[in-house]
Amino acid sequence: MNISNKLQKINCIFKETAGLYHKLNVELGLSDSISDILYTLYANGGKYPLMELREELSMPKQTINSALRGLERDGILFLELYRGRNKRAILTEKGWEYCKDTVAHIFEMEEVVFAEFSASELEAFVTLHKKYNATISKYLEEGEKH
């Protein structure tokens, strides 16, 4: 199998997906980082530990912190101590309403889209994306050792 022939197509697919989400975020009046944070909170019952949020979103710490400060200033969420010195973000009532007007639409769209996948297609989609990310992560870790 000649992988190099597929690389451009794969990269185009990833960029197209990122572009589609960016376009949707623009239509919803959200930056990509705020959308990702609110989506994560919305999908997880309105509460999420900051340490896990930073790991899961793979964004620079400063980007997340700036977004969180803005959301906190706007009354969308608040931060509370959670498990020792760690904190977690919690949506306010205003935040829940804001999420219903914004990221809930993304969530609902994805439910409709993924409902068109068979169970085996959905499982393959998740498995292959996880494998791809794990393999890149392993490659990067090995590169750090050299």
Side-chain angles (χ1 to χ4, degrees):
M1 171 174 57
N2 188 348
I3 293 174
S4 62
N5 291 340
K6 299 290 182 192
L7 286 178
Q8 185 175 4
K9 288 180 183 181
I10 291 167
N11 283 314
C12 284
I13 290 168
F14 286 154
K15 288 174 184 166
E16 180 182 16
T17 301
L20 290 169
Y21 276 89
H22 177 73
K23 180 180 178 183
L24 184 54
N25 288 333
V26 168
E27 288 176 9
L28 294 170
L30 300 172
S31 70
D32 294 338
S33 57
I34 287 178
S35 176
D36 289 347
I37 290 167
L38 292 177
Y39 182 99
T40 301
L41 286 166
Y42 179 80
N44 288 283
K47 300 178 183 179
Y48 213 72
L50 294 189
M51 186 174 285
E52 291 177 33
L53 187 69
R54 289 181 184 116
E55 288 174 17
E56 186 172 312
L57 297 182
S58 300
M59 279 187 238
K61 185 177 180 180
Q62 185 58 41
T63 301
I64 291 176
N65 289 342
S66 295
L68 288 170
R69 277 194 301 276
L71 290 167
E72 191 172 27
R73 186 179 51 249
D74 294 340
I76 302 298
L77 58 77
F78 64 94
L79 303 177
E80 74 171 12
L81 283 177
Y82 175 73
R83 295 188 180 160
R85 293 178 45 205
N86 295 320
K87 293 182 179 181
R88 68 179 171 178
I90 300 176
L91 288 174
T92 61
E93 188 173 322
K94 179 180 177 181
W96 275 110
E97 292 304 314
Y98 189 66
C99 284
K100 288 177 187 173
D101 292 336
T102 57
V103 295
H105 296 293
I106 298 170
F107 197 83
E108 292 162 2
M109 175 203 66
E110 289 172 334
E111 286 180 325
V112 169
V113 168
F114 285 121
E116 294 189 22
F117 284 52
S118 69
S120 61
E121 287 172 329
L122 192 54
E123 186 61 36
F125 184 87
V126 170
T127 301
L128 292 171
H129 274 78
K130 281 184 168 184
K131 181 177 181 178
Y132 177 79
N133 289 344
T135 305
I136 287 180
S137 181
K138 179 182 171 189
Y139 177 82
L140 292 173
E141 288 173 14
E142 289 174 356
E144 291 173 1
K145 294 176 187 175
H146 297 284

